[in-house]
Amino acid sequence: MSKLEQVLDLEPPYDLKFKGPFTEVVTTNLKLKNPSDRKVCFKVKTTAPRRYCVRPNSGMIESGATVTVSVMLQPFEYDPNEKSKHKFMVQTIFAPSTATDMDAVWKDAKPDDLMDSKLRCVFELPSENDKMNDVDATKAAPVLNSKADGTSAPRPSSASMDDSEMKKLMAECKRLQYDVGKLSDENRQLKDEGLRMKKSHRSDDMVTGSGAMMSKQHSSSSIPSLMVVIAAIFIGFFLGKFVL
């Protein structure tokens, strides 16, 4: 019995191309289309599972639907002299109408019911033309952005201001500088006047305080002398009584 022909349409049908440099992850897409009127289960296998990451690597495709499988090549040191021997295989089977468990479908599948397609991996480095196109696109990007933003290139010298306008601007700048200097002098004078007023207030307070202290000392010293006079009067009064 001959083997069943692949029911899915693959794009690309034969080669998975990966364009370098390969110093970072390189991704290519594989489209699986189901043109039949039945559900189809699929699996994607590779001969180098450690070098690739496949999402999704299995699933079920409805009638007339398309699934995109992302194949991600991990970074590695590329040798142009070494030919790639990596291959992929897309294995499929018609799913029963009541199928709910894909693991059970694959487990119960007969070898004659399986369909498969093989693809080889092709590694490519960017050509010099591709590099030049990338450089040109990078240079053109600022020009496009400036047009989108509504900005224009600098005006030519003929559109610049004439001498009379420049003289007016220079005179206005000098006048403003003179006004600023005058205001600075007035501000300095006000500060000096304020300092002098503060010093004079402090000296007046010191004179007033010293006068108050002297009056207190005078009053305090006059009280003991008055007490001495009163005591002397009393003593003289008593002595006079005794003598008489």
Side-chain angles (χ1 to χ4, degrees), residues 75-224:
F76 72 102
E77 294 183 4
Y78 175 67
D79 185 1
N81 298 322
E82 182 181 354
K83 293 184 178 181
S84 172
K85 298 180 181 180
H86 301 166
K87 294 181 180 180
F88 275 81
M89 183 175 69
V90 179
Q91 195 172 49
T92 58
I93 187 174
F94 285 110
S97 57
T98 58
T100 56
D101 187 358
M102 286 193 298
D103 291 338
V105 172
W106 289 106
K107 185 177 181 180
D108 298 337
K110 297 178 181 179
D112 295 337
D113 297 334
L114 298 176
M115 300 167 280
D116 59 63
S117 298
K118 295 179 181 179
L119 302 93
R120 66 189 186 96
C121 297
V122 179
F123 299 154
E124 297 178 347
L125 285 175
S127 61
E128 293 298 327
N129 292 333
D130 293 338
K131 293 179 180 179
M132 291 298 296
N133 292 334
D134 293 339
V135 172
D136 293 340
T138 303
K139 290 181 179 179
V143 177
L144 294 176
N145 291 336
S146 63
K147 291 182 179 179
D149 296 339
T151 57
S152 59
R155 295 181 179 179
S157 58
S158 60
S160 61
M161 294 184 296
D162 55 17
D163 294 338
S164 60
E165 292 180 349
M166 287 295 296
K167 290 179 180 178
K168 290 180 181 179
L169 287 176
M170 293 295 293
E172 185 66 19
C173 290
K174 289 181 179 179
R175 188 183 65 81
L176 291 175
Q177 290 178 356
Y178 174 76
D179 292 341
V180 170
K182 188 175 180 181
L183 290 174
S184 300
D185 294 337
E186 292 179 355
N187 189 23
R188 193 179 300 108
Q189 290 177 2
L190 290 174
K191 287 183 177 180
D192 295 339
E193 186 66 24
L195 290 174
R196 285 196 294 270
M197 291 179 66
K198 288 182 179 179
K199 291 180 180 179
S200 62
H201 283 307
R202 289 179 181 174
S203 61
D204 293 342
D205 293 340
M206 291 177 65
V207 171
T208 305
S210 61
M213 290 179 64
M214 289 177 65
S215 60
K216 287 181 181 179
Q217 292 177 357
H218 179 71
S219 60
S220 61
S221 61
S222 61
I223 291 173

Side-chain angles (χ1 to χ4, degrees), residues 8 32-34 36 38-44 56-69 91-106:
L8 297 182
L32 308 178
K33 182 179 181 181
N34 180 13
S36 70
R38 298 174 59 183
K39 295 179 181 179
V40 176
C41 295
F42 73 91
K43 279 185 177 181
V44 181
N57 59 359
S58 63
M60 185 182 295
I61 308 175
E62 298 287 339
S63 173
T66 301
V67 171
T68 300
V69 177
Q91 195 172 49
T92 58
I93 187 174
F94 285 110
S97 57
T98 58
T100 56
D101 187 358
M102 286 193 298
D103 291 338
V105 172
W106 289 106

